Amino acid sequence: MKVAILLATFNAKKHIRELLDSLINQTYREFTIFYHDDGSEDETLHFMAEFEKENPGKFISLKGPATGGAKQNFMYMLGQVEADYYFFCDDD
């Protein structure tokens, strides 16, 4: 069973560490976090890269153009990721 957490990010530096810590510390751990950034201009991608390095295989960056909003971002990710179950996670 493949479980995907789809994480839409955009200028999330203020809360992203807390969010990522929360995801990593869940009791159920059989999931992969796929994230797509919507054109952040802060350190969001820096924090994501740190967590990706610290948790090999747990985070997967989906490369692609900015989509223009959370809804469009999630729809983009749904088209990129195949899983049995999807969970949607916004960065705030």
Side-chain angles (χ1 to χ4, degrees), residues 51-87:
F51 270 80
E52 195 169 347
K53 194 183 302 182
E54 293 168 8
N55 302 277
K58 195 56 121 177
F59 290 87
I60 297 176
S61 174
L62 299 175
K63 305 297 184 200
T67 60
K71 175 183 169 186
Q72 295 90 334
N73 201 346
F74 286 124
M75 294 305 292
Y76 171 77
M77 288 189 282
L78 280 171
Q80 302 299 309
V81 176
E82 205 159 309
D84 298 308
Y85 296 95
Y86 299 92
F87 293 89

Side-chain angles (χ1 to χ4, degrees), residues 17-80:
R17 281 189 179 275
E18 184 179 353
L19 169 68
L20 297 176
D21 283 336
S22 174
L23 291 173
I24 288 299
N25 291 315
Q26 295 297 308
T27 55
Y28 182 81
R29 305 217 7 100
E30 300 304 315
F31 59 83
T32 304
I33 300 165
F34 296 88
Y35 68 95
H36 178 260
D37 188 76
D38 213 17
S40 290
E41 297 176 353
D42 64 4
E43 290 93 24
T44 298
L45 290 176
H46 170 76
F47 293 131
M48 295 304 299
E50 281 183 8
F51 270 80
E52 195 169 347
K53 194 183 302 182
E54 293 168 8
N55 302 277
K58 195 56 121 177
F59 290 87
I60 297 176
S61 174
L62 299 175
K63 305 297 184 200
T67 60
K71 175 183 169 186
Q72 295 90 334
N73 201 346
F74 286 124
M75 294 305 292
Y76 171 77
M77 288 189 282
L78 280 171
Q80 302 299 309

